[in-house]
Amino acid sequence: MLPVLLPILVLSVGPLLYGISLAFTDAQAGRTSPTQFVGLLNFQDLWHDDLFRESFRIGLVWAFAVTSLQFLLALGLALLLNQDLRFRWLARTLAIVPWAMPEVVVGIMWRLVYHQDAGILNGTLAQLGLIDENVDWLTDLSLALPAVIVVGIWAGMPQTTVVLLAGLQNVPHELREAAAIDGAGVWRRFTTVTWPALRPVVLAITALNFIWNFNSFGLVYVLTGGGPGGQTRLPSLFVYEEAFTYGQYGYAAAMGLVLVGVVAVLLTVFLRNRLREES
């Protein structure tokens, strides 16, 4: 196992331990004096940091909204693609296209879609008579976060669709046929046959999606950079700014450690529920 464990130790565990050690120091960029151990001072400052608490709130709103809407839309698409339709293979292929695109490319593409003057969204809404003047989607304080959430849903829905589709194909067809013969309607067959068999897959992909979305960085960074006025500043963006814009490495490491703790708690709850279901 050593060839497999060595890269993990060097590239993952090592930086994680170094980041944890930085969280208890006053490390800063460009300082000439030696770095000092400050104990829990960074965490005390973090507790009273209104900007971090606000970014944490925004991160939770983003993660819950994207994860829940992603799941609902992906479930509907997976149920549709699971039907015996013509050109189903083509639809399945096109459904995973956003998944194959890098986050930077997705962000640039949607910036063009949302562009105030040349964007296709404003042009389409104007032609339909739904708006009288162009909307600046990514710089409006009330529209920036919903606009970014839409992009997050679009970018992450394919992987959820693929996982749910795989789960649907593992549901025994004989059970659905037996339920139909017994007189169960479409909704009844879904709630009594499909959903119980799909539930473990749903729990797994929902938990992983929430963690991925909560830690999201690249997509939002390209779209808004955390603006306007911090309305889309996710916790990972806030950590990045503190570390690489303001040079507060120790403080940023403390933020990162808090985020790791949140993810660890979520993983613990998820794994405990899975083990309880399996037992």
Side-chain angles (χ1 to χ4, degrees):
M1 293 296 292
L2 187 59
V4 178
L5 292 176
L6 189 59
I8 296 176
L9 292 174
V10 173
L11 301 177
S12 297
V13 178
L16 176 61
L17 295 177
Y18 179 64
I20 293 175
S21 66
L22 277 181
F24 299 94
T25 67
D26 59 352
Q28 296 179 5
R31 64 180 300 167
T32 57
S33 58
T35 299
Q36 301 291 328
F37 177 79
V38 296
L40 298 177
L41 181 60
N42 288 327
F43 297 94
Q44 293 176 0
D45 294 339
L46 195 60
W47 180 259
H48 300 288
D49 193 335
D50 294 336
L51 292 178
F52 180 72
R53 289 204 299 270
E54 178 64 15
S55 72
F56 200 87
R57 183 194 67 81
I58 293 172
L60 291 177
V61 171
W62 154 271
F64 275 112
V66 173
T67 302
S68 57
L69 295 176
Q70 241 176 32
F71 168 73
L72 292 175
L73 294 175
L75 179 61
L77 184 57
L79 290 171
L80 179 63
L81 295 178
N82 196 43
Q83 303 299 315
D84 189 14
L85 305 174
R86 295 180 61 187
F87 301 108
R88 183 175 60 176
W89 63 271
L90 179 61
R92 288 179 176 179
T93 303
L94 294 176
I96 64 174
V97 168
W99 194 10
M101 300 174 64
E103 284 189 334
V104 174
V105 176
V106 173
I108 293 174
M109 182 183 70
W110 277 91
R111 279 182 66 90
L112 296 175
V113 171
Y114 283 136
H115 195 279
Q116 183 176 6
D117 299 319
I120 188 175
L121 180 58
N122 279 334
T124 302
L125 293 177
Q127 290 179 356
L128 295 175
L130 299 177
I131 58 174
D132 297 326
E133 58 182 12
N134 290 340
V135 179
D136 198 351
W137 299 94
L138 297 179
T139 59
D140 189 285
L141 292 175
S142 60
L143 295 177
L145 184 58
V148 172
I149 287 175
V150 170
V151 181
I153 295 170
W154 183 87
M157 193 173 68
Q159 63 188 18
T160 309
T161 302
V162 170
V163 173
L164 293 177
L165 182 58
L168 288 172
Q169 292 178 341
N170 288 326
V171 179
H173 186 66
E174 296 79 8
L175 292 179
R176 290 197 293 263
E177 287 184 346
I181 293 174
D182 290 339
V186 175
W187 177 251
R188 187 68 174 172
R189 292 199 300 270
F190 176 78
T191 56
T192 59
V193 177
T194 304
W195 181 256
L198 196 62
R199 191 167 176 236
V201 178
V202 171
L203 290 175
I205 191 60
T206 302
L208 293 176
N209 278 345
F210 183 86
I211 293 171
W212 288 332
N213 291 326
F214 186 76
N215 289 327
S216 182
F217 173 81
L219 186 63
V220 180
Y221 181 77
V222 174
L223 281 169
T224 64
Q231 293 300 308
T232 61
R233 187 190 287 126
L234 304 182
S236 56
L237 285 171
F238 196 84
V239 174
Y240 174 83
E241 289 180 356
E242 287 294 323
F244 301 108
T245 301
Y246 304 113
Q248 301 293 330
Y249 294 144
Y251 193 51
M255 294 181 185
L257 187 56
V258 171
L259 298 183
V260 170
V262 171
V263 172
V265 170
L266 294 175
L267 280 175
T268 301
V269 173
F270 165 69
L271 292 175
R272 188 173 63 178
N273 290 336
R274 287 299 305 274
L275 293 174
R276 185 181 303 168
E277 287 185 356
E278 292 178 358
S279 61

